[in-house]
Amino acid sequence: MDFLSPVIDGFGVVFQPENLFYCLLGVTLGMLIGVLPGLGPAATIAVLLPITYNIEPTAAIIMLAGIFYGAQYGGTITSVLLRLPGEASSVVTAIDGHALARQGRAGSALGIAAIGSFIGGTVAIIGLTFVAPLVAGFALDFGPSEYTALALLGILLITTLGTGSPLKSILMATVGLLLATVGQDPLEGVSRLTLGVDQLLDGIDFVIVAMGLFGVGEILYNLESLRRPAEPAAAVGSVYPSRAELGQSKGAITRGSFLGFLLGILPGGGATMSSMVAYAVEKRASKEPEKFGKGAIQGVAGPETANNAAATSSFIPLLTLGIPANATMAIMFGALLIQGITPGPMLVEEKPDLFWGVVNSMYVGNLLLLVMSMPLIGLFVRILRVRQAILAPLTILVTMIGVYTVRMSVFDMFLMVGLGVLGYLMKKAGYEPGPLVLAFVLGSLLESSFRRSMRIFGGDVTGFLTQPITATLLAVIVLIIVVPPVLRLTKRKDPSREKVEA
């Protein structure tokens, strides 16, 4: 009971009028920010840091936390309606979410995303409350070699995302890894693949790649339909998932909750890795994997549940160990320091009101997000009724503004247009951009972790096998590569055996 006393006292902190107001403000801002391509939670929290000087520390952190996990659902909206992911964690949602929207089931896709987000976030908060010290201690065991294996596993899973052939997916992932090397060498500072362009020395930002390939590329591809007779507008459908859709999503939401929680606590994993792994798991677990990429409701439920669970569990290493799990958590770390608070093992004892106030505010924030998002779905899906000739220029305008606000660079806008043309040509040739974008996200983690590992092992590759966690992850990679072909061969042999016996 001594453990539960500060937890219960934390709810008293949350329900103070000021803290409730900032919780509502945070999740509302987060949802709106997620909708706007380019303006992610990391940039927004950085912009709002000066404002937090005049806000009480607990209220300030509650608001910034609300922005972070609120943005995870906001990014779903444009991913489903426009196939325009505002966040890296929403890339995989765009694959089946937009396919459902084109079938007139945008309301169901957004509804199941809201429900999954709420459940995943709540499960992660419960885990954060009861097992934070244990899982945070496990995260400390991850070094460069473990991150290398984790990134390799993620890139391998990427090959399951393409709706075309695995070979095309591998090719796209290779291009994504190549784009991730553009800029300065992370360890030696030497410029690579910049072609003498100074603006590329800092590398290519994720927003530029995602908005170019998914946003501009998709718009250019869809504009071809204007030359053909217009098809009748698809019905939006109910804004609430049917009982059958809820039943189909039940397993995906359950698996996504636990996958997101576990991967979210690992630095370098986070919401993006969690959504990607959840999508791959659902596709492999499905009895009808051919439906993925064409409008499988599990392809929305799994990733959306996982990325919200991961967004919440990523607070574990930050608050209990002072280790930011991702870029947004790094900015949150700075916000805590600005408030005179040092994250770490002593935070629970020295600042129990703040620690449990922030943790318990997530229960309230997730509930507010669910209550707000479900009624607003009807408003969001009206975008589908806007004619493409009007919607395309507006989307291009929002995309341009979003990309420009990242680094205030006109060059980035031209680069995004160039990548958009590439995305259009890829689409015409039957190559999906998803594997490219996700490999791009994991590329920098893979490179830096691998090179640090090789320095630690003195250039001996077999050093990876001496680390228990790394060896386990590598064994999983081998199983993923070997098992599917073996199962396919087994299935081919079974019918012939039956015929012989007959």
Side-chain angles (χ1 to χ4, degrees):
M1 292 303 294
D2 291 339
F3 168 73
L4 292 177
S5 294
V7 178
I8 295 170
D9 292 341
F11 281 105
V13 174
V14 177
F15 287 113
Q16 294 175 7
E18 180 185 14
N19 292 334
L20 272 179
F21 168 76
Y22 280 108
C23 183
L24 175 61
L25 179 62
V27 296
T28 304
L29 283 174
M31 186 185 296
L32 294 174
I33 287 157
V35 172
L36 297 174
L39 191 60
T44 305
I45 292 173
V47 170
L48 292 177
L49 282 181
I51 299 176
T52 62
Y53 281 115
N54 300 318
I55 303 176
E56 194 271 332
T58 302
I61 303 303
I62 285 174
M63 179 185 71
L64 297 180
I67 290 173
F68 180 44
Y69 57 80
Q72 302 305 316
Y73 178 72
T76 308
I77 297 167
T78 50
S79 292
V80 171
L81 299 183
L82 304 174
R83 209 187 186 205
L84 194 64
E87 299 298 318
S89 58
S90 299
V91 170
V92 290
T93 306
I95 298 173
D96 281 279
H98 188 63
L100 287 167
R102 293 176 70 89
Q103 297 168 17
R105 298 167 63 193
S108 295
L110 290 172
I112 206 68
I115 294 170
S117 297
F118 172 74
I119 295 174
T122 302
V123 168
I125 299 164
I126 294 171
L128 173 59
T129 302
F130 291 98
V131 298
L134 282 175
V135 293
F138 175 73
L140 276 178
D141 294 333
F142 269 66
S145 65
E146 285 77 14
Y147 294 140
T148 301
L150 189 65
L152 278 173
L153 178 61
I155 291 169
L156 176 63
L157 292 174
I158 285 170
T159 61
T160 68
L161 297 179
T163 55
S165 69
L167 183 61
K168 288 184 177 180
S169 296
I170 292 172
L171 180 60
M172 288 296 95
T174 304
V175 175
L177 292 174
L178 186 65
L179 289 177
T181 63
V182 174
Q184 291 182 316
D185 186 293
L187 299 183
E188 299 178 1
V190 180
S191 62
R192 305 178 304 188
L193 303 178
T194 60
L195 303 177
V197 180
D198 292 341
Q199 290 88 341
L200 290 176
L201 287 174
D202 292 331
I204 303 175
D205 193 271
F206 160 77
V207 172
I208 300 171
V209 177
M211 295 301 99
L213 295 177
F214 280 100
V216 178
E218 187 72 18
I219 291 168
L220 292 176
Y221 186 78
N222 288 338
L223 283 176
E224 286 191 352
S225 63
L226 297 180
R227 301 170 60 181
R228 298 189 292 268
E231 298 178 1
V236 169
S238 172
V239 297
Y240 296 98
S242 66
R243 183 174 297 179
E245 289 169 333
L246 288 171
Q248 292 169 2
S249 305
K250 183 169 58 176
I253 290 174
T254 302
R255 288 184 288 270
S257 297
F258 289 99
L259 275 173
F261 174 75
L262 293 174
L263 292 176
I265 62 174
L266 303 176
T272 302
M273 175 80 76
S274 302
S275 62
M276 176 190 63
V277 172
Y279 187 92
V281 166
E282 291 312 311
K283 186 174 181 180
R284 289 186 179 276
S286 175
K287 295 179 180 178
E288 299 175 309
E290 67 278 1
K291 288 188 176 181
F292 279 73
K294 301 175 183 178
I297 195 72
Q298 300 94 323
V300 174
E304 283 304 303
T305 302
N307 68 29
N308 278 269
T312 301
S313 64
S314 62
F315 279 88
I316 292 175
L318 174 70
L319 295 177
T320 60
L321 298 170
I323 299 175
N326 49 57
T328 306
M329 288 296 102
I331 297 173
M332 290 286 292
F333 183 86
L336 286 164
L337 294 179
I338 287 173
Q339 295 287 347
I341 301 163
T342 303
M346 299 303 295
L347 181 63
V348 181
E349 295 182 9
E350 295 177 354
K351 302 280 186 181
D353 290 348
L354 182 141
F355 182 88
W356 293 112
V358 171
V359 171
N360 291 345
S361 72
M362 297 179 190
Y363 287 106
V364 179
N366 269 281
L367 184 59
L368 289 172
L369 198 60
L370 179 65
V371 170
M372 289 191 302
S373 61
M374 294 294 283
L376 288 176
I377 288 174
L379 175 64
F380 295 136
V381 297
R382 291 173 187 264
I383 298 174
L384 287 177
R385 295 176 181 171
V386 180
R387 287 190 303 142
Q388 188 68 25
I390 299 173
L391 188 60
L394 289 175
T395 306
I396 289 287
L397 178 62
V398 172
T399 303
M400 287 289 193
I401 293 172
V403 167
Y404 180 77
T405 57
V406 174
R407 295 192 292 196
M408 302 298 177
S409 171
V410 175
F411 175 81
D412 287 351
M413 298 168 70
F414 283 105
L415 181 58
M416 183 194 68
V417 172
L419 288 170
V421 174
L422 174 63
Y424 164 74
L425 295 175
M426 286 166 47
K427 188 86 173 176
K428 291 282 288 183
Y431 290 86
E432 288 294 326
L436 188 157
V437 175
L438 291 167
F440 175 82
V441 172
L442 295 175
S444 57
L445 174 65
L446 174 63
E447 180 189 7
S448 60
S449 299
F450 177 74
R451 292 175 64 180
R452 288 192 180 99
S453 299
M454 293 303 291
R455 287 188 176 187
I456 293 172
F457 299 141
D460 184 6
V461 181
T462 60
F464 287 96
L465 300 178
T466 64
Q467 307 299 312
I469 297 176
T470 306
T472 302
L473 290 172
L474 291 176
V476 172
I477 290 172
V478 172
L479 287 175
I480 291 174
I481 294 173
V482 172
V483 170
V486 172
L487 290 177
R488 282 195 294 268
L489 287 173
T490 304
K491 288 180 180 179
R492 288 177 183 175
K493 291 179 180 179
D494 285 344
S496 60
R497 287 178 181 176
E498 290 177 3
K499 290 179 181 178
V500 171
E501 291 175 0

